[in-house]
Amino acid sequence: MTIPSRSWNGCVRCRKRRQKCGEQKPQCVRCEKDQVDCSYQKPLRFGGRPFAQSRFGACLSKNTGGARKAATIDGGFVYTSASIAKVVPSETSPCKLDPAAGTEPLEAEQVIEDETSLDLIQVSKRLPDPISSHVDILSFIPGNNRALLQYFTCNASMALATHAFVHQEVCELILPMALGNPALLHATLALAAIHRNSLTSMAENEMDDGAQRLVTHLTATSIRHLRRDLQDPRSSPLAAKVATTRTLFLCEAISGSHSLRAWRAHFLGARALLSSHAGSSQGFEQDPSLLFLQRWYNITEALVAITTDGLSAGQIACGGPRYLIGEAEEADVCIDMYTGCAEDISVVFREIGAVAWERRRAADDPGRHPRLSEQDFLREADLLEMSVRRMIERDKARSTVFNIPGGRDLSVEESKEFLLCNEAYQHTALIHIHRRVRRLPPNAAAVQASVQRIIECVESIRPAATLSPLTLLTTPLFTAGCEAAGPERCKIAQLLTNMFTLLRLPNMKRALQVLEAFWRVSEVSGIDWEDFSRQRNWDFLPY
């Protein structure tokens, strides 16, 4: 047999034993003679040096507690922790010795492994867990506040909405804005906390101390952030500021608290913000949320106008409406599903408030020359009443248009309920015209006819715990209650009680409490609501 020259490409076994290899394939002479497996593998070299002597090999060396190279069952290798790598016997392992081989001592076959050796380990073929497709966009909100936001979306906002279309509109406009504005977010949470306490509380009157502290904290936090936004006009858009003042207003208006004047500060704040932008219509056209907030402000301003204190200075430049408000084209007048009444009724309320303010000023200071004479007041009453009655006939005779997407999809019953809500507001206007402008007594036939019709409208609306026009009918019922007598008072009290039981809005219970206090005094003294509230310095808004 020819002695081979020095081997550079010998088999693994010959190189480990430092013996010359004949390099025959598939088995060299020595491996064939000893009847062992023969394999040829190229050693990995890093930087021209063996793996164990390279810097990378030193970092991964099992002698220093690092990782080690391990073979996989599919012929590859991975780096694994030296402390957990386990050898799995395999028939294909290049390190396996044949038990039948006994021609040489066992010690001669055993060599110390270096870091280039490959241990066979079982590597799982299981695919890694997929990344979850759910992204929690509310992760920045603490858990308790997140629960309040969820409650607002699924409960409080539905109790305040007249229909699913309105609820969707409010959530799509307000909630995304709230997530990006701390002032609006905390005001929304405060509104949710007020309604949640009303729903869960068993107390007859006030919220418990814990709920009160939570609402106070959330409201104060919202106001603090709002002040910062107002100091820096570029910090947040106008819509976010107006939406915050609107929500703070709602917190005070529906909370049923004894502070009957706190709502006015937020109303005036919203008025100032919108007035600062009144000269530019471009922003309203580009931002649909501003259009929605303007609708809210218009009806709110109208309701404030007919309160005892009304609007500042009456908000009238010269006496009387310059045209019959109901003469507008029918196609241009819609019933706003958010407010529950026709768009032009808010103009009538503002006119009534302005004339009533002038009427009151003339009575308080007869020595001054009033801007309107008695004949002027009566003429204004005739024009206003004619306008409202024209509206009533118009809405009975025509197919009413609803100014909200999906309004045409309302059922016949739903459309009827919105028309009843609208008619209740129209008779509310008639009561104010008769009592505060024309100065008719409460038992006058025209006044009692409107009281009776308001009760009939409310009774005709189906009871519902959420998404019902009932949420808007506190104002008409309170107005009717101030002029009602005998059995009508009992009906109104029962209707307000039923509405509170269904919707759990504290302002409904508070309206009944204020009415009951007024009824007790008026039965003895015959005082009217306007004088009664002025004596107690009440600025109650039956919202």
Side-chain angles (χ1 to χ4, degrees):
M1 183 178 65
T2 304
I3 303 297
S5 60
R6 185 173 182 179
S7 173
W8 294 98
N9 299 305
C11 69
V12 173
R13 182 170 179 266
C14 290
R15 288 203 311 271
K16 285 188 176 183
R17 295 164 63 92
R18 298 184 182 277
Q19 294 175 337
K20 290 183 179 180
C21 179
E23 302 181 13
Q24 292 84 359
K25 303 292 179 62
Q27 280 187 315
C28 69
V29 175
R30 292 184 185 275
C31 291
E32 185 179 7
K33 178 183 177 180
D34 295 337
Q35 298 182 358
V36 295
D37 291 335
C38 182
S39 63
Y40 292 85
Q41 292 182 356
K42 289 290 186 182
L44 296 176
R45 292 182 177 273
F46 295 79
R49 293 176 291 178
F51 176 78
Q53 299 176 9
S54 66
R55 293 183 179 179
F56 184 49
C59 293
L60 300 181
S61 174
K62 63 183 179 182
N63 295 333
T64 58
R68 69 185 302 176
K69 208 169 43 168
T72 61
I73 59 176
D74 57 358
F77 69 89
V78 295
Y79 290 109
T80 182
S81 172
S83 60
I84 64 173
K86 297 182 179 180
V87 177
V88 179
S90 173
E91 296 180 356
T92 61
S93 173
C95 301
K96 180 181 176 182
L97 298 179
D98 191 342
T103 57
E104 293 186 15
L106 184 60
E107 289 78 3
E109 293 290 328
Q110 290 179 335
V111 292
I112 304 299
E113 283 188 326
D114 61 17
E115 284 73 15
T116 63
S117 63
L118 297 179
D119 290 339
L120 187 63
I121 64 172
Q122 183 70 31
V123 179
S124 174
K125 297 278 188 181
R126 183 175 64 88
L127 294 176
D129 294 335
I131 298 176
S132 174
S133 60
H134 173 70
V135 179
D136 187 3
I137 62 173
L138 305 179
S139 58
F140 65 96
I141 303 178
N144 54 345
N145 289 349
R146 196 183 311 185
L148 275 177
L149 189 62
Q150 179 75 12
Y151 181 86
F152 174 83
T153 305
C154 300
N155 297 88
S157 60
M158 295 181 71
L160 292 167
T162 59
H163 194 273
F165 296 140
V166 177
H167 179 251
Q168 180 179 354
E169 181 185 27
V170 172
C171 290
E172 289 179 351
L173 292 175
I174 300 300
L175 287 180
M177 201 186 308
L179 295 179
N181 186 273
L184 179 55
L185 176 61
H186 285 86
T188 304
L189 297 177
L191 186 60
I194 291 172
H195 185 267
R196 185 179 67 175
N197 177 79
S198 177
L199 181 67
T200 59
S201 176
M202 301 301 294
E204 187 66 24
N205 294 317
E206 303 300 328
M207 64 176 64
D208 58 77
D209 293 339
Q212 183 64 59
R213 286 194 299 269
L214 175 61
V215 172
T216 301
H217 169 72
L218 292 172
T219 304
T221 304
S222 174
I223 294 174
R224 184 171 66 252
H225 285 288
L226 179 60
R227 286 175 178 170
R228 294 175 185 173
D229 292 342
L230 293 174
Q231 292 171 357
D232 184 8
R234 296 173 298 178
S235 61
S236 62
L238 174 65
K241 298 184 182 73
V242 178
T244 302
T245 56
R246 166 190 172 271
T247 309
L248 290 172
F249 168 86
L250 291 177
C251 288
E252 294 295 341
I254 74 163
S255 64
S257 66
H258 289 291
S259 178
L260 301 180
R261 308 186 69 89
W263 58 267
R264 189 174 284 271
H266 301 302
F267 165 76
L268 295 176
R271 180 180 182 178
L273 287 170
L274 291 172
S275 298
S276 66
H277 205 69
S280 174
S281 61
Q282 184 177 3
F284 286 84
E285 296 175 355
Q286 295 178 349
D287 191 348
S289 58
L290 281 176
L291 294 175
F292 166 79
L293 293 168
Q294 185 67 57
R295 286 159 53 200
W296 162 79
Y297 177 78
N298 288 341
I299 188 61
T300 302
E301 183 186 51
L303 297 179
V304 171
I306 58 175
T307 60
T308 301
D309 289 353
L311 295 172
S312 176
Q315 301 301 308
I316 187 170
C318 51
R322 304 279 69 85
Y323 61 92
L324 290 181
I325 301 167
E327 291 180 349
E329 292 294 332
E330 292 181 0
D332 298 333
V333 180
C334 303
I335 288 184
D336 191 338
M337 292 176 64
Y338 176 72
T339 64
C341 55
E343 296 169 334
D344 51 2
I345 195 65
S346 60
V347 181
V348 174
F349 281 146
R350 283 192 291 269
E351 290 287 347
I352 294 172
V355 178
W357 187 86
E358 290 287 344
R359 180 71 123 164
R360 187 73 191 184
R361 190 177 72 162
D364 291 343
D365 191 0
R368 295 182 58 183
H369 294 287
R371 298 168 68 181
L372 296 176
S373 65
E374 183 65 26
Q375 294 301 318
D376 291 331
F377 286 126
L378 294 178
R379 182 175 63 87
E380 294 294 335
D382 291 339
L383 288 173
L384 288 169
E385 182 180 357
M386 192 181 306
S387 297
V388 175
R389 295 199 180 279
R390 183 185 178 92
M391 293 178 191
I392 295 174
E393 294 302 319
R394 175 200 66 196
D395 293 337
K396 285 182 178 179
R398 71 180 176 91
S399 177
T400 306
V401 179
F402 297 93
N403 66 337
I404 194 169
R408 295 181 179 179
D409 299 330
L410 293 180
S411 65
V412 175
E413 187 67 25
E414 290 172 333
S415 300
K416 179 182 176 181
E417 289 182 349
F418 277 101
L419 289 172
L420 289 170
C421 182
N422 176 55
E423 187 178 355
Y425 272 94
Q426 291 167 341
H427 281 279
T428 299
L430 289 177
I431 290 176
H432 282 280
I433 292 170
H434 294 320
R435 292 286 288 126
R436 302 182 65 191
V437 181
R438 204 182 294 278
R439 294 291 187 179
L440 294 179
N443 58 355
V447 175
Q448 292 303 311
S450 291
V451 170
Q452 186 63 37
R453 184 54 187 161
I454 290 175
I455 295 174
E456 292 173 356
C457 289
V458 178
E459 289 178 337
S460 300
I461 296 178
R462 294 170 299 176
T466 57
L467 304 176
S468 170
L470 286 175
T471 190
L472 302 173
L473 291 170
T474 305
T475 298
L477 278 178
F478 184 85
T479 303
C482 291
E483 313 304 333
E488 279 72 24
R489 288 184 176 181
C490 297
K491 292 180 180 180
I492 291 173
Q494 188 60 51
L495 286 171
L496 286 172
T497 302
N498 294 341
M499 287 164 54
F500 172 73
T501 303
L502 289 169
L503 300 169
R504 305 303 293 184
L505 296 176
N507 61 308
M508 296 175 176
K509 180 172 65 175
R510 184 62 175 150
L512 178 57
Q513 293 171 347
V514 172
L515 277 177
E516 289 174 341
F518 167 65
W519 289 339
R520 286 193 295 269
V521 175
S522 63
E523 286 179 355
V524 177
S525 62
I527 193 173
D528 63 11
W529 163 251
E530 190 171 1
D531 292 332
F532 175 81
S533 59
R534 283 179 177 273
Q535 288 179 3
R536 288 156 179 76
N537 197 28
W538 284 1
D539 191 15
F540 181 62
L541 177 66
Y543 198 73

